[in-house]
Amino acid sequence: MKSSIQDVAQLAHVSISTVSRSFTRPDLVSKATRDKVMKAADELNFSISRSAAALKTGRALRIAVLISGRLNLWFSSSIMEGLNESFHDEGYDISIYQMSSAEERRAFFDMLPVRRNVDAVIVISFDIDSNEIRQLRSVDVPIIGINSSLPEERGFNAAVRIDDKQGSELAARHLITLGHRDIAYIRTDREVTLHFSVQGRFDSFMTCCKSNDVEPRVFVTDEGKNNISKVVTQLLSSDHMPTAIACQEDGIAIPLLFQLERNGFTIPNDISIIGYDDSTYARDLGLTTIRQTPVEMAHEAARMTLALIDKQPLDEPFKTFPAQLIVRSTTARLRH
C-alpha cells in the first residue's frame, strides 16, 4: 500500500505540516528535523508530489540547459554529471536542449515563449547574440553561462569558465620551451558560434606561438566516424611531419597517438603530442595535457543558479577557473 504524508509524520514523530515544509521549504526546518523526516520518508518509500511542491513554492523545479554538440563528449558529459549531482539533491529536474546546428538553435528560440516553465537557463560553451539574450531575458529567469562568450557584457546573471587563454599559452610555451618550432595544431570544424571555448582556445594558442616567431600548421578535421584517420592521412601527405602536435582536446590526442604509433612513429621520440582536458584516460596513457575540471565548474554554476533562484546576491558572479599544465610522457625535448 502506498505510504501517505500522515504515515511519514507518525514515523518521524512530527506534524504533517513539518513533513510538508521539509520537502517544500527546507530552509524553515532544522537540519536534524529534516534528516529525521527524510529518513522516515525513505523507509516508507514516500515522495511528495512534484506538482504540489511546485505549486507551494511557485517554481517549476526545472532548469533548462542549452548545450552545443554531442552529449557523449567528455566535457559535455562531465558538465551534465556535475549539474545533475547538484540539482537532483535540491529536487530540480534538468531539461537538455542540444544546439548541434543553426536549425536546432533557431527552433529553440522560436519555441521559447512556450518554454517559460523553467526556473533558470544555463548556456554551455557557445556564443549567443544580443537578440537571443533579449529572448532569454523575456522569460524572466536567471541566465548562467558555462564557458560562454563575454557573459558579463551579454547580460548573463552569472558565469563560470576555464581560462582557455592561460591553458593554450601553457600548451604552446611547453612545446616551444622543449625546442619545437615545427608544430601542428589539430582542431575540428565545429561551427564557431556553437563552440566559443574551442575557438578561443585555438586563437590563444596561435597568438602565443606567433609571438615566439612560430607559425603552426593547422589541420582541420570533422567529427565523423573516421576523423582521426583523415587527420593522419593529411599529416602523412604533407611535405614533412611536424615534431610536435597540439590537439584541441584529448578526444583528438588519444586516438591520434594510437594511429601514429600504428604507422611506425614513436611518441615522444619522433613526435611530441599534447592534449587539452585531462580527460578520463589521459593519465592511464601518459598524455601530456591541460587540465580543466568541468564537474567542479558545474557544481559552482549550479550553486550560483540556486542562489539566483532564491534571489540571493553572489559575491563573485563571474568566476574563472585556472588551467593547469600536466606534463606526462607524450612530450619530450626536441632531438636534433
Side-chain angles (χ1 to χ4, degrees):
M1 184 168 59
K2 188 175 179 180
S3 299
S4 67
I5 192 170
Q6 289 86 353
D7 296 327
V8 176
Q10 184 176 1
L11 182 60
H13 302 291
V14 298
S15 67
I16 292 172
S17 61
T18 297
V19 174
S20 177
R21 279 196 298 272
S22 295
F23 280 90
T24 61
R25 290 295 305 276
D27 54 309
L28 300 180
V29 182
S30 71
K31 184 179 185 304
T33 300
R34 186 170 188 272
D35 288 345
K36 188 165 56 172
V37 170
M38 292 302 137
K39 183 175 183 294
D42 286 342
E43 289 181 18
L44 295 172
N45 197 26
F46 171 83
S47 63
I48 199 162
S49 166
R50 280 186 60 82
S51 58
L55 200 61
K56 182 87 173 178
T57 61
R59 296 174 184 171
L61 299 179
R62 184 177 295 106
I63 309 294
V65 175
L66 281 57
I67 188 166
S68 60
R70 304 197 312 271
L71 291 176
N72 63 351
L73 297 176
W74 174 80
F75 180 82
S76 299
S77 61
S78 297
I79 288 288
M80 295 311 304
E81 175 187 342
L83 292 178
N84 185 63
E85 286 174 352
S86 297
F87 289 132
H88 180 269
D89 290 345
E90 297 297 328
Y92 282 83
D93 287 337
I94 298 173
S95 293
I96 302 172
Y97 299 94
Q98 283 183 267
M99 303 289 168
S100 300
S101 67
E103 289 74 22
E104 289 177 350
R105 179 172 175 157
R106 188 162 46 249
F108 173 84
F109 284 99
D110 286 346
M111 291 291 293
L112 193 60
V114 300
R115 290 181 173 147
R116 294 176 182 267
N117 60 334
V118 296
D119 298 309
V121 176
I122 296 178
V123 180
I124 302 174
S125 288
F126 68 93
D127 191 13
I128 55 180
D129 60 36
S130 55
N131 181 55
E132 290 167 340
I133 283 286
R134 282 194 297 272
Q135 289 177 278
L136 282 178
R137 294 197 75 83
S138 71
V139 183
D140 195 28
V141 295
I143 305 169
I144 299 89
I146 299 179
N147 277 5
S148 296
S149 172
L150 304 173
E152 208 164 351
E153 294 86 337
R154 300 289 197 204
F156 284 58
N157 298 96
V160 297
R161 69 180 184 92
I162 180 69
D163 193 338
D164 275 311
K165 182 177 185 296
Q166 176 208 19
S168 295
E169 289 175 352
L170 287 171
R173 287 176 184 152
H174 176 63
L175 296 179
I176 293 169
T177 300
L178 292 174
H180 296 282
R181 312 288 294 179
D182 189 354
I183 300 172
Y185 189 96
I186 299 179
R187 61 177 303 188
T188 60
D189 63 351
R190 298 174 185 170
E191 187 178 346
V192 170
T193 55
L194 292 181
H195 294 82
F196 168 78
S197 185
V198 167
Q199 180 64 25
R201 194 177 297 176
F202 169 73
D203 292 341
S204 297
F205 184 90
M206 298 299 287
T207 298
C208 184
C209 284
K210 289 175 182 177
S211 68
N212 287 275
D213 298 321
V214 174
E215 188 75 36
R217 287 183 279 161
V218 180
F219 293 83
V220 180
T221 184
D222 56 32
E223 294 186 291
K225 188 175 181 181
N226 299 312
N227 62 328
I228 305 303
S229 296
K230 293 175 184 176
V231 168
V232 172
T233 299
Q234 291 180 55
L235 288 166
L236 295 175
S237 301
S238 61
D239 293 338
H240 59 280
M241 292 291 286
T243 64
I245 300 175
C247 298
Q248 171 183 287
E249 57 203 40
D250 289 355
I252 294 174
I254 290 172
L256 177 67
L257 187 155
F258 283 118
Q259 293 212 25
L260 286 175
E261 289 184 334
R262 193 178 300 158
N263 279 274
F265 294 94
T266 302
I267 310 299
N269 293 340
D270 297 326
I271 303 173
S272 286
I273 295 180
I274 187 169
Y276 200 113
D277 281 336
D278 199 23
S279 59
T280 307
Y281 300 109
R283 178 180 296 179
D284 294 337
L285 296 172
L287 178 68
T288 294
T289 188
I290 302 299
R291 175 177 291 167
Q292 61 175 329
T293 53
V295 173
E296 184 181 341
M297 291 196 331
H299 287 163
E300 179 62 13
R303 184 193 68 80
M304 291 175 168
T305 302
L306 293 170
L308 288 168
I309 290 172
D310 287 336
K311 302 190 183 304
Q312 298 174 5
L314 299 176
D315 294 333
E316 188 182 1
F318 299 95
K319 184 171 182 177
T320 300
F321 284 71
Q324 182 182 2
L325 172 65
I326 306 297
V327 179
R328 298 195 181 104
S329 62
T330 59
T331 52
R333 187 165 295 279
L334 178 63
R335 297 184 179 185
H336 295 284

